[in-house]
Amino acid sequence: MSSQAGDALRRDLSGDLAMLPPGGHVTVVEPGAAGAAAFRIERDGRGAARVCRSELAAEGDVSGAAVRIAVPAGEEPAAAELVRRITATRPDARSYVLDGEDAAALIADVAAALPIPHAYGLLVARADPADGRVRLSSEPLFPEGARRGAAAELSVRSEEENRLVFAVVTRDAEPGLLSAASAVLPAGTHRVRAELDGPGAVRFTSPAGLVPDPRTAAELTAAVPTRLDAGSQVHLVCAVEVAGPAARVAARLDCAERVALAADRGLGDRLRVGLIGYGAHRRGAADGVVVTDWRSDTGKALRSLSRFGAADLGYPRAAQVEDVLAEVLRRIGAGPGPGRTVLLVIGDRPPHPPAPDGDVVRCPRRHDWRSLLGELEVRPDVALAAVRDQPAAPGGAAWARIGGTALKPLDTVDADALAAQLGLTAPPNGGIPVPLAC
């Protein structure tokens, strides 16, 4: 049971810590028969109190924004000289006679009862329904000023069985990780219940089976994929330049096959594949691109791919890339569609211009590749990538734009890595280590 002096020390110490400036500390001295102990109390960036116990030097020098002296009942005569020395240098120091109370336990109790200086939240992931892009945010748990005993409840979900990390963060402009616990949970919606045990201390009572998780905030953030395509189809369109030397064409077709297979391993039945073959315009001819598949399963698309062969190079300085862009735009419509479209262009020659450009033959349909590409670039449901025989060859500026952030050289392209970069290998939950917001 708390004594009247104990209540006074609690009240004063609570006020001291509530008013403590950044970098400051409070000292509580506990005299004893074997010597005096000094408890240095600081508050970290989370608002939690950190207590460091040490033996007080014989001279009794103490520091801090406030000094409190907790004298055990019955020790008043032995402690009198120490109290006199401390109050001589710190007139603001106050002493309290604690009847049967332990100073360390009292300090811990006061620290746990402090209000939290920041709102706390649960780290969750949110996926944009248009393009699957993932961002981290937090769902509110406890508001600023909440105290020990406060309870919170919310729902989160997972698209597959996964080890989920329940990470408590401060809800500031730059959230800080307070604690993390994890458990393997099945797909579905999960009810989360949490209780506040004090500043920086949140205890989850549901879901069951949570254990401390050692991952840092940086490790959790790094583990979050850029995209999540849970439940929606992903449409991979491979546009391959099928004119030129047979070995070059075969290498391009092989690249398309390897990327499609990597995507199929990651996405399974959610993947649909389109194939477009293109070459060069002939002077005065309005020949078009060849679409053999548009939304086929991977196996059917690869069978169609195997029937492509190498056509004559024809006009050497440009190819029908602009017609590919126009055909893709025509087929996907104004959008956004129900899933994501990834356009992968594999070739070497740059697009035909919409008007004569020096001695480069214009597109007979006057397609403007820059304008068409611009329409695709602004769509959140479309991703662009390109693999070129020689990225540094003439026409590189056009290919750099066609490839977006994923322009790769044909001879060294890593199909698995490219598929991963384009979000084509993510499992249903995207490997996200934190729950999804409901």
Side-chain angles (χ1 to χ4, degrees), residues 187-200:
T189 300
H190 305 284
R191 199 65 181 159
V192 179
R193 297 179 179 87
E195 294 184 8
L196 182 63
D197 288 340

Side-chain angles (χ1 to χ4, degrees), residues 87-124:
T87 54
T89 56
R90 290 295 303 260
D92 59 319
R94 181 181 174 186
S95 62
Y96 311 78
V97 177
L98 303 185
D99 188 4
E101 292 184 90
D102 177 69
L106 186 150
I107 292 169
D109 186 60
V110 169
L114 292 171
I116 60 175
H118 311 278
Y120 291 174
L122 179 70
L123 189 65
V124 295

Side-chain angles (χ1 to χ4, degrees), residues 237-240 242 253 273-278 289-297 300-309 327 331:
V237 179
C238 296
V240 184
V242 292
L253 294 171
V273 180
L275 294 177
I276 302 176
Y278 72 93
V289 299
V290 177
V291 181
T292 63
D293 294 79
W294 184 244
R295 285 188 176 272
S296 298
D297 62 66
K300 182 178 182 299
L302 293 182
R303 287 192 294 273
S304 297
L305 187 71
S306 69
R307 291 192 285 270
F308 275 115
E327 184 67 16
R331 287 177 176 261

Side-chain angles (χ1 to χ4, degrees), residues 383-431:
L384 300 169
V387 176
R388 191 186 187 196
D389 293 3
Q390 302 176 65
W399 276 95
R401 185 170 168 189
I402 293 165
T405 59
L407 172 62
K408 309 296 181 183
L410 178 63
D411 291 339
T412 59
V413 63
D414 182 330
D416 290 319
L418 178 58
Q421 182 179 347
L422 295 171
L424 296 172
T425 59
N429 208 50

